[in-house]
């Protein structure tokens, strides 16, 4: 479809206005992360008069931060993979199993969207302790997977349900079994939905502070946000350090997002060809 | 078959994680010579300093190492509570004063420290009390106190030829002179509401209600919480309202600190913990501190708050070693180290060491000739609903907004506390 | 995957009786993880709403007392109704602003034009930031002393609009809701883009040949196709914001300052069950669990109603 010129103009005007509303705060973040902490409040929105990279150096050279990065990245990617895999295969079952049972499981799963898991912290701590996972990055993965499954099941079930039954029948005639159908038909077709679910879960997992606080003590098992939280003092904070660390911490999320967005677009165009 | 295998393998790996992990961490538990104790705290700011102090301890006891492992302050209470109940708490940890730690002791999470060598010699009964049960059994070693007062910009005071106010009316007169000269008189603001409770209202309250003795009158029911002294204390908050910075409703603690540091505000009603921050942010800036004045020259009191004690986890594996550390904390050597490493956090030791930091020393010397008391709400007014802390804070803020008069605020405090606090129910006899 | 192996598996799985078994096998891993690490701990904790006592595991059975005090206690109930009201406002603003903007952006982004992937990334950028940083930056922008917003307003002679933004009990909540919408608008945008792509080009082109305007095309062809997605997005907005916590914690502390005007069910729950009312308070797990249960039931009712309605609609559409 070729948009008309006025439509194009409106598009650019609205999106550019929004871009300004987004970029100004990001600008504030970036310029202040390069200022000595004393200058931040003097003029928070101007370019730094004296540039410092102390914050970035601190995050870079402080050996612990590289641990934190590695841990956060590991936890996030493994959790996301498991959420997508377990969630999509369960959603496939719920969407296409002709029986009364999956409907109940569906409600059972999405009930998890409605109650903060913080409430169950003490019981969760005991489970994790009994499994011997305490104080390791592995303690967080099952918790995040469990937290991510409700949204995965909720979104993916709807998408899989919308896939036409003829596709499945055709594949069956070709002799594919259910797992084969799942891999060869379901997964490629729901790629946009998978990316959406990944992005929905990416940020809460990456930025979670509560469970690392409870489960992790050892330095080399800490997550990035747990590390950053220790930069916030009781009555004083080194904002140069904090802003730099937070700016860096947004980079992996952005990279992961771009990767998912690519999949998302691929899935869209693939779907459009078929449609 | 390959996919099925991959699938099953993944589940297997997932379920086997505990086992893998047991192998991965197993070697760390080898019984070495040195014992490492973990110390929990909410003072994330003090990592370097505490390490230095603990190293001094380890030089004396080479077999005991102490690992300082603080949690960010807003989550400290919740995290510690969860770890205690889940059996993963540190061996030693900072204790808040009064009720909240007493509750932990009653539930058996804290070791009884009765008979800890040095405890009774090093500290007065009054300073042990914030970390002792109602019958006097101690469960924590007094560690740090914080003081409250009014910071002031020496240059501005000189330039406007202002002298240190000795009474509250003089303070307000000083504030007016500062405002007339184009400065902000007080950097204080209510954007962080706790500051109005802890560094404004409870900072000035002792001078208005008569310190410890005065507080006792309220807590035994001899005086009501809406008598003229309390009303005067709330009136003092009302007096400050015109002299706070523009938009104070939205200025937070950091903003207030910055206003004072940038020399836009001439005074900052604050706590001693800001000393090291102001020193490090702007070493050339000349500031000092005076005691918060009362209604008359005779009302000489200071809010000197017992802030942190050190407790021992009753389920710790290394109680004997931890007790050696607690015993060491009662020595003058430890008190001196703490006092000098953490300017603005004062040791509670009977034999107060002289402090090397001149600002900290000046702050502490304000105590001379003045009656000391902790923050008003802490000892008895927190264990019911509505609690005294929230009542003082919320009503003081309503005064600043002009929605309540001082008398109405005092009445609201009395009415709220009378709902559960026995002495307030039939007070004034 | 090799075909030979598929047919081998297929041979085993073809039997009708094993059909259910395969579906169950697909469900089991997710069910296990979810039950052990979420459903079970939560169920254990909901039980606590019938108990009272100190600590995280109160053991003194009190029946429905915690619920009664939540709804009638002079202090608690005021906070509860206040938080409930604020949560509805918070949700309403997200629903209106975030989802409308999401739909608008999606309708732009669904057609290809120069730089559209740049704009897409820009829309997403706030989502990647930690709430800590968002809280800090926006507080700085809205600061009454050195904030940019007031400087801008002064520059365009709109000084009269200046407020202590985050300190004003009337507008702090709407402002934080807008900031949160700003952060999360990318998610509805993505979901709407996905939905809009399913509108086939031929339909649109034939409509354009017939002389339909862009707006007419949007309303006639696109809205019906994205209606189901609007449903999903609304449910996610609903459940997401009824348990919201982070942004308030970052910008207005866990007390919902100023004067509880930004207190949501999420922050109220955190205070009651976990952190305590003030810096040295003891939390009340029993009441906290009761509050979480009430929130849960509220959400469950909402979502089940939606499920029922959307199912009915689907059945009617299929007829």
């Amino acid at each position: 479809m070729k948009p008309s010129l006025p439509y194009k103009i409106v598009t650019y005007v609205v999106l550019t206005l929004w871009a300004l509303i987004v970029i100004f705060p990001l600008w504030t973040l970036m310029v202040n992360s390069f200022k000595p902490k004393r200058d931040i409040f003097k003029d928070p929105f101007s370019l730094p008069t004296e540039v410092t990279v102390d914050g970035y150096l601190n995050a870079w050279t402080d050996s612990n931060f590289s641990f934190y990065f590695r841990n956060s990245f590991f936890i996030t990617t493994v959790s996301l993979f498991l959420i997508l895999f377990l969630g999509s295969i369960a959603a496939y079952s719920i969407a296409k199993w002709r029986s009364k049972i999956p409907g109940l499981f569906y409600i059972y799963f999405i009930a998890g969207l409605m109650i903060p898991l913080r409430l169950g912290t003490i019981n969760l701590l005991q489970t994790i302790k009994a499994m011997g996972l305490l104080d390791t990055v592995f303690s967080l993965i099952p918790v995040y997977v469990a937290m991510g499954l409700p949204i995965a099941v909720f979104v993916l079930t709807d998408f899989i349900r919308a896939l036409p039954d003829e596709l499945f029948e055709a594949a069956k005639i070709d002799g594919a079994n259910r797992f084969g159908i799942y891999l060869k038909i379901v997964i490629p077709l729901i790629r946009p939905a998978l990316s959406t679910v990944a992005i929905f879960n990416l940020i809460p997992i990456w930025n979670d502070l509560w469970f690392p606080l409870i489960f992790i003590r050892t330095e080399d098992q800490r997550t990035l946000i747990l590390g950053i939280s220790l930069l916030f003092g009781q009555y004083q904070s080194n904002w140069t350090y904090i802003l730099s660390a937070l700016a860096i911490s947004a980079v992996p999320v952005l990279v992961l997002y771009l990767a998912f967005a690519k999949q998302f677009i691929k899935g869209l165009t693939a779907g459009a060809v078929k449609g | 078959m390959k996919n099925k295998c991959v699938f099953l393998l993944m589940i297997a790996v997932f379920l086997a994680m505990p086992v893998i992990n047991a192998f991965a961490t197993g070697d760390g538990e080898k019984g070495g010579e040195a014992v490492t104790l973990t110390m929990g705290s909410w003072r994330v700011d003090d990592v370097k300093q505490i390490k230095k102090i603990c190293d001094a301890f380890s030089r004396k006891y080479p077999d005991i190492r102490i690992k300082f492992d603080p949690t960010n302050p807003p989550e400290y209470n919740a995290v510690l509570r969860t770890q205690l109940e889940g059996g993963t708490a540190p061996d030693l940890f900072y204790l808040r004063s009064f009720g909240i730690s007493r509750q932990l002791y009653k539930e058996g999470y804290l070791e009884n420290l009765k008979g800890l060598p040095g405890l009774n010699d090093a500290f007065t009964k009054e300073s042990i009390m914030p970390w002792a049960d109602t019958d006097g059994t101690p469960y924590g070693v007094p560690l740090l106190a914080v003081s409250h007062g009014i910071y002031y910009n020496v240059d501005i005071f000189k330039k406007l030829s202002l002298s240190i106010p000795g009474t509250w009316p003089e303070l307000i007169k000083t504030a007016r002179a500062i405002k007339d000269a184009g400065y902000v008189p007080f950097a204080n603001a209510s954007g962080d509401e706790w500051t109005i409770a802890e560094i404004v209202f409870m900072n000035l309250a002792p001078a208005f209600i008569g310190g410890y003795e005065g507080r006792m009158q309220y807590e035994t029911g001899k005086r009501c919480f809406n008598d003229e002294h309390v009303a005067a204390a709330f009136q003092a908050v009302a007096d400050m309202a015109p002299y706070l910075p523009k938009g104070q409703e939205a200025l937070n603690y950091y903003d207030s600190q910055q206003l004072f540091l940038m020399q836009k505000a001439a005074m900052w009603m604050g706590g001693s913990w800001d000393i090291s921050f102001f020193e490090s942010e702007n070493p050339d800036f000349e500031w000092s501190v005076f005691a918060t004045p009362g209604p008359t020259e005779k009302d000489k009191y200071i809010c000197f708050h017992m802030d942190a004690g050190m407790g021992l986890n009753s389920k710790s594996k290394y109680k004997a070693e931890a007790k050696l550390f607690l015993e060491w904390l009662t020595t003058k050597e430890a008190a001196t180290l703490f006092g000098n490493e953490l300017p603005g956090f004062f040791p509670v030791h009977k034999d107060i060491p002289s402090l090397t930091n001149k600002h900290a020393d000046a702050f502490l010397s304000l105590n001379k000739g003045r009656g000391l008391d902790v923050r008003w709400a802490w000892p008895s007014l927190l264990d019911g609903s509505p609690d005294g802390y929230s009542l003082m804070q919320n009503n003081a803020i309503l005064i600043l907004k002009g929605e309540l008069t001082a008398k109405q605020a005092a009445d609201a405090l009395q009415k709220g506390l009378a709902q559960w606090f026995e002495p307030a129910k039939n007070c004034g006899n | 995957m090799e075909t030979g192996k598929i047919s081998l598996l297929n041979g085993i799985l073809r039997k009708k009786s094993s059909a259910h078994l395969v579906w169950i096998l697909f469900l089991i891993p997710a069910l296990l993880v979810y039950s052990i690490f979420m459903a079970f701990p939560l169920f254990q904790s909901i039980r606590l709403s019938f108990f009272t006592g100190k600590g995280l595991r109160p053991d003194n059975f009190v029946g429905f007392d915690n619920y009664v005090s939540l709804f009638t206690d002079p202090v608690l109930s005021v906070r509860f109704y206040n938080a409930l009201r604020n949560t509805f406002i918070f949700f309403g603003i997200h629903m209106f602003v975030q989802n409308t903007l999401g739909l608008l952006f999606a309708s732009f982004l669904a057609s290809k034009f120069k730089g559209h992937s740049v704009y897409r990334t820009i829309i997403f950028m706030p989502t990647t930031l930690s709430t800590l940083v968002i809280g800090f930056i926006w507080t700085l922008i809205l600061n009454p002393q050195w904030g940019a917003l007031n400087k801008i307003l002064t520059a365009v002679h709109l000084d009269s609009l200046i407020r202590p933004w985050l300190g004003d009990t009337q507008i702090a909540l709407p402002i934080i809701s807008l900031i949160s919408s700003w952060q999360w608008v990318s998610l509805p945008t993505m979901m709407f883009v996905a939905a809009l792509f399913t509108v086939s080009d031929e339909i649109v082109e034939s409509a354009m040949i017939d002389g339909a305007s862009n707006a007419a095309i949007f309303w006639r062809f696109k809205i019906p196709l994205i209606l189901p997605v609007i449903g999903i997005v609304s449910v996610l907005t609903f459940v997401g914001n009824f348990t919201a916590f982070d942004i308030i914690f970052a910008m207005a502390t866990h007390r919902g300052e100023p004067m509880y005007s930004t207190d949501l069910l999420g922050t109220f729950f955190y205070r009651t069950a976990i952190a305590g009312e003030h810096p040295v308070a003891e939390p009340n797990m029993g009441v906290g669990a009761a509050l979480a249960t009430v929130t849960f039931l509220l959400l469950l009712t909402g979502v089940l109603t939606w499920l029922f309605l959307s199912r009915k609609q689907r059945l009617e559409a299929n007829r």
Side-chain angles (χ1 to χ4, degrees):
Chain A
M1 146 183 171
K2 283 203 187 81
S4 59
L5 187 66
Y7 186 79
K8 256 189 167 166
I9 292 173
V10 173
T11 303
Y12 278 114
V13 168
V14 172
L15 289 179
T16 306
L17 270 178
W18 186 259
L20 286 177
I21 301 177
V22 170
I23 288 168
F24 183 67
L26 294 180
W27 153 269
T28 313
L29 164 66
M30 294 314 293
V31 292
N32 286 317
S33 69
F34 286 107
K35 285 180 198 172
K37 59 180 177 169
R38 250 174 269 161
D39 291 353
I40 292 180
F41 292 92
K42 279 191 191 140
D43 193 356
F45 308 102
S46 67
L47 280 168
T49 43
E50 178 194 337
V51 175
T52 172
V53 287
D54 275 7
Y56 292 94
L57 277 180
N58 177 59
W60 196 252
T61 53
D62 186 344
S63 59
N64 292 329
F65 265 81
S66 59
F67 277 126
Y68 302 163
F69 257 102
R70 206 194 53 194
N71 291 338
S72 276
F73 200 79
F74 176 74
I75 292 169
T76 309
T77 46
V78 173
S79 303
L80 283 181
F81 176 75
L82 287 171
I83 290 171
L84 293 182
F85 177 62
L86 301 185
S88 59
I89 200 159
Y92 175 37
S93 169
I94 290 173
K96 293 294 176 189
W97 181 3
R98 288 175 207 282
S99 157
K100 291 255 183 251
I101 308 165
L104 292 176
F105 283 131
Y106 179 63
I107 292 176
Y108 175 63
F109 273 116
I110 60 172
L113 282 173
M114 302 166 199
I115 193 156
L117 190 51
R118 270 171 195 257
L119 179 66
T121 305
I122 185 74
N123 295 305
L124 212 46
L125 175 62
Q126 283 169 328
T127 309
I128 296 289
K129 202 178 152 197
M131 293 177 76
L133 295 178
L134 208 64
D135 210 6
T136 67
V137 290
F138 295 106
S139 61
L140 296 166
I141 292 171
V143 177
Y144 293 151
V145 174
M147 269 166 70
L149 280 173
I151 214 168
V153 169
F154 177 67
V155 173
L156 297 178
T157 301
D158 244 60
F159 269 81
I160 297 175
R161 214 178 256 151
L163 298 178
D165 282 342
E166 298 87 62
L167 276 176
F168 295 89
E169 298 304 327
K172 244 186 202 164
I173 290 163
D174 289 349
N177 71 17
R178 283 227 180 76
F179 195 68
I181 295 176
Y182 163 77
L183 279 181
K184 289 211 155 153
I185 298 178
V186 177
I187 291 293
L189 283 177
I190 59 167
R191 233 163 19 187
L194 285 174
S195 317
T196 315
V197 170
I199 290 169
F200 258 104
N201 285 305
L202 168 63
I203 291 104
I205 293 176
W206 185 264
N207 286 333
D208 180 52
L209 174 60
W210 177 250
F211 289 106
L213 268 175
I214 301 291
F215 294 159
I216 309 270
R217 294 210 81 89
T218 314
E219 206 126 294
D220 63 8
Q221 302 289 317
R222 284 180 182 162
T223 65
L224 190 56
I225 288 291
L226 182 57
I228 292 175
S229 84
L230 297 177
L231 296 175
F232 283 87
Q234 187 181 11
Y235 300 109
Q236 46 178 291
S237 297
N238 188 331
W239 287 108
T240 309
Y241 282 19
I242 292 173
L243 294 177
S244 316
L246 286 170
I248 302 178
S249 94
V251 173
V253 187
L254 200 62
V255 169
L256 284 174
Y257 159 74
L258 289 173
F260 289 130
K262 206 172 159 193
Q263 286 302 310
F264 177 78
I265 297 302
K266 254 193 197 159
L268 286 184
T269 33
V273 170
K274 287 208 175 68
Chain B
M1 210 63 196
K2 199 159 67 187
N3 283 296
K4 199 90 176 179
C5 288
V6 171
F7 177 54
L8 290 175
L9 191 72
M10 272 182 41
I11 298 175
V13 167
F14 193 66
L15 294 176
M17 250 153 43
V19 184
I20 297 171
N21 197 53
F23 280 110
T25 51
D27 53 354
E29 295 289 320
K30 262 181 232 156
E33 300 289 292
V35 166
T36 302
L37 303 171
T38 319
M39 187 202 290
S41 168
W42 61 84
R43 291 290 305 161
V44 284
D45 325 44
D46 300 341
V47 177
K48 277 188 195 121
Q49 292 88 332
I50 298 291
K51 190 172 179 303
K52 213 167 150 193
I53 294 170
C54 291
D55 285 349
F57 169 76
S58 292
R59 273 196 295 278
K60 255 203 174 128
Y61 298 89
D63 293 345
I64 310 173
R65 301 261 150 69
I66 293 173
K67 196 174 142 241
F68 186 62
D69 182 18
T71 307
N72 60 330
E75 315 262 27
Y76 178 75
N77 296 358
V79 169
L80 177 66
R81 170 59 95 165
T82 313
Q83 289 170 338
L84 283 170
E85 295 201 17
T88 62
D91 304 292
L92 295 158
F93 45 87
Y94 277 41
L95 297 175
R96 309 265 186 197
S97 48
F98 301 103
I100 193 164
S101 299
R102 196 169 292 158
Q103 185 57 39
L104 294 178
Y105 170 69
K106 279 187 183 144
E107 289 174 46
Y109 294 118
L110 288 174
E111 184 76 2
N112 182 335
L113 296 182
K114 203 169 187 170
L116 183 81
L119 188 64
N120 288 318
D121 307 326
F123 305 101
T124 62
K125 253 206 171 89
E126 291 74 36
S127 46
I128 293 177
M129 200 201 62
W131 299 278
D133 201 2
T134 31
D135 65 2
T137 314
Y139 49 76
V141 176
L143 193 64
L144 298 168
V146 289
S147 190
H148 302 71
I150 299 176
Y151 290 80
Y152 68 100
N153 183 317
V154 172
D155 291 334
I156 296 180
F157 267 58
K158 250 188 224 153
K159 207 165 88 186
L160 307 178
S161 34
L162 298 166
S163 53
I164 304 301
T167 67
W168 189 264
E170 277 173 41
L171 175 69
I172 295 304
K173 219 190 276 168
T174 310
R176 195 175 309 133
I178 293 169
K179 193 178 181 183
D180 290 343
Y183 295 99
V184 177
F186 295 102
N188 298 76
S190 64
D192 271 329
E193 294 180 345
W194 66 267
T195 64
I196 297 299
E198 293 182 26
I199 59 178
V200 176
F201 185 76
M202 292 191 225
N203 179 349
L204 60 82
F208 283 79
I209 64 167
Y212 175 81
E213 295 75 20
R215 175 163 66 80
M216 280 303 139
Q217 306 264 306
Y218 296 95
E219 292 177 8
T220 52
K222 291 203 181 81
R223 288 194 202 159
C224 290
F225 286 88
N226 58 348
D227 71 352
E228 72 273 17
H229 305 285
V230 182
F234 277 116
Q235 183 56 45
V237 176
D239 294 342
M240 286 174 73
Y243 304 110
L244 301 184
K246 191 186 86 189
Q248 58 86 14
E249 301 94 324
L251 294 174
N252 60 28
Y253 192 81
Y254 302 120
D255 299 332
S256 293
Q257 286 176 324
Q258 292 299 331
L259 279 173
F260 185 67
L261 267 175
M262 290 181 205
Q263 317 213 22
K264 286 184 181 171
M267 293 185 282
W268 160 236
M269 210 164 174
S272 54
W273 54 83
D274 275 337
I275 291 174
S276 57
F277 178 66
F278 289 154
E279 283 178 347
S280 71
E281 285 294 290
N282 191 351
D284 309 324
F285 170 32
E286 214 185 313
W287 53 269
S288 188
V289 58
F290 59 84
T292 309
T296 71
E297 292 274 7
K298 282 179 292 175
D299 302 303
K300 285 181 173 298
Y301 297 97
I302 277 202
C303 178
F304 192 75
H305 186 68
M306 299 295 161
D307 192 39
M310 185 72 75
L312 166 54
N313 183 348
S314 63
K315 302 209 172 57
S316 164
K317 274 191 276 182
Y318 309 110
K319 275 193 214 171
E321 289 84 354
K323 275 193 179 159
L324 284 176
F325 179 71
L326 291 179
E327 203 183 316
W328 180 73
L329 285 183
T330 67
T331 61
K332 194 173 173 184
E333 181 199 355
T336 314
L337 270 169
F338 270 93
N340 287 331
E341 284 299 323
L342 307 170
F345 291 87
F346 303 116
V348 198
H349 207 267
K350 252 184 206 167
D351 197 359
I352 293 179
S354 67
L355 302 177
T356 46
N357 180 297
K358 95 178 172 1
H359 285 121
D361 202 46
F363 215 132
L364 194 62
S365 67
L366 294 177
N367 287 359
K368 276 181 206 130
R370 290 190 171 83
L372 307 183
D373 196 19
V374 296
R375 292 188 192 133
W376 191 2
W378 259 251
S380 320
L381 305 181
L382 297 177
D383 304 328
S385 171
D387 62 274
Y389 181 101
S390 304
L391 285 168
M392 290 174 186
Q393 170 182 291
N394 296 349
N395 290 307
I397 289 169
L398 288 174
I399 289 177
L400 289 179
K401 287 165 140 347
E403 288 174 20
L404 283 186
T405 65
K407 178 68 182 131
Q408 284 167 333
D411 288 341
L413 176 64
Q414 163 67 23
K415 198 176 148 227
L417 289 174
Q419 285 177 35
W420 61 272
F421 187 57
E422 288 303 327
K425 278 185 186 164
N426 28 29
C427 57
N429 304 310
Chain C
M1 166 161 336
E2 294 132 80
T3 359
K5 286 180 181 163
I6 297 178
S7 53
L8 187 83
L9 253 184
N10 201 41
I12 304 163
L13 300 175
R14 194 158 12 200
K15 292 171 199 155
K16 263 269 183 269
S17 59
S18 66
H20 285 306
L21 190 75
V22 180
W23 288 129
I24 291 171
L25 269 179
F26 282 6
L27 265 173
I28 279 177
L31 270 178
L32 266 181
V33 177
Y34 174 73
S35 300
I36 297 173
F37 296 100
M38 188 139 187
F40 179 70
L42 283 176
F43 179 76
Q44 286 285 311
S45 306
I46 283 179
R47 231 172 33 95
L48 297 176
S49 65
F50 300 106
F51 291 83
T52 193
K54 298 273 183 182
L56 300 172
R57 281 167 300 188
D59 48 8
N60 194 357
F61 184 78
V62 289
F64 281 91
D65 278 12
N66 288 328
Y67 292 88
V68 172
S69 54
L70 194 58
F71 288 111
T72 60
D73 179 89
V75 180
L76 270 177
S77 68
V78 171
R79 295 272 165 276
F80 172 65
Y81 293 121
N82 172 58
L84 188 63
R85 208 197 78 209
N86 290 340
T87 307
F88 268 105
I89 296 173
F90 189 73
F91 161 65
I93 293 176
H94 277 83
M95 195 61 199
F96 184 72
V97 176
Q98 176 189 294
N99 296 346
T100 311
L101 278 179
L103 192 52
L104 183 71
F105 294 158
S107 67
F108 291 149
L109 292 175
S111 54
K112 279 233 162 74
F113 58 90
K114 227 182 192 164
H116 87 295
S117 65
V118 174
Y119 282 117
R120 207 184 52 229
T121 308
I122 286 176
I123 289 172
F124 189 80
M125 284 178 91
T127 320
T128 61
L129 296 177
S130 148
T131 5
L132 295 172
V133 91
I134 290 185
F136 178 79
I137 297 173
W138 279 102
T139 313
L140 203 55
I141 292 173
L142 298 168
N143 188 298
Q145 291 277 336
W146 39 75
L149 182 64
N150 287 358
K151 277 186 192 159
I152 294 169
L153 287 176
T154 312
V156 294
H157 301 290
L158 283 172
D159 314 43
S160 60
L161 288 179
I162 289 179
R163 299 272 178 291
W165 305 103
L166 292 169
D168 186 318
T169 50
Q170 298 294 314
I171 50 180
L173 181 63
I175 286 184
I176 296 179
S177 312
L178 289 176
I179 292 169
S180 168
S181 305
W182 171 84
Q183 184 184 5
W184 295 106
V185 70
S186 66
L187 296 180
T189 306
M190 268 190 91
M191 297 193 71
F192 286 132
V193 168
L196 284 172
F197 258 87
T198 59
V199 185
S200 96
D201 284 354
E202 290 108 67
I203 303 178
V204 175
E205 263 160 32
S206 66
M208 280 182 90
I209 292 164
D210 293 347
S213 70
N214 276 309
I217 289 172
F218 188 76
W219 287 107
R220 200 165 349 132
F221 299 108
K222 298 198 170 172
I223 286 290
L225 274 154
I226 56 179
L227 263 181
V229 179
I230 290 182
I232 300 185
V233 168
S234 307
V235 170
L236 288 176
T237 314
F238 181 54
V239 293
N241 289 306
F242 263 70
T243 52
F245 167 77
D246 290 17
I247 187 76
I248 302 290
F249 188 65
M251 297 195 70
T253 80
H254 66 283
R255 295 171 64 98
E257 295 177 3
M259 297 306 271
Y260 302 104
S261 65
T262 60
D263 197 15
L264 303 183
L265 289 174
T267 42
F268 184 42
F269 161 76
Y270 177 77
R271 270 203 324 280
T272 326
I274 292 172
E277 190 66 28
H278 54 79
V280 281
E282 271 285 326
N284 185 337
M285 198 61 186
V287 174
L291 173 62
T293 311
V294 170
T295 314
F296 171 71
L297 292 175
L298 206 78
L299 286 171
L300 195 65
T301 316
V303 172
L304 287 181
T305 312
W306 170 79
L307 275 179
F308 177 74
L309 289 178
S310 69
R311 181 169 215 174
K312 210 169 122 194
Q313 198 194 26
R314 202 166 47 224
L315 289 178
E316 273 163 15
N318 285 348
R319 209 173 284 155

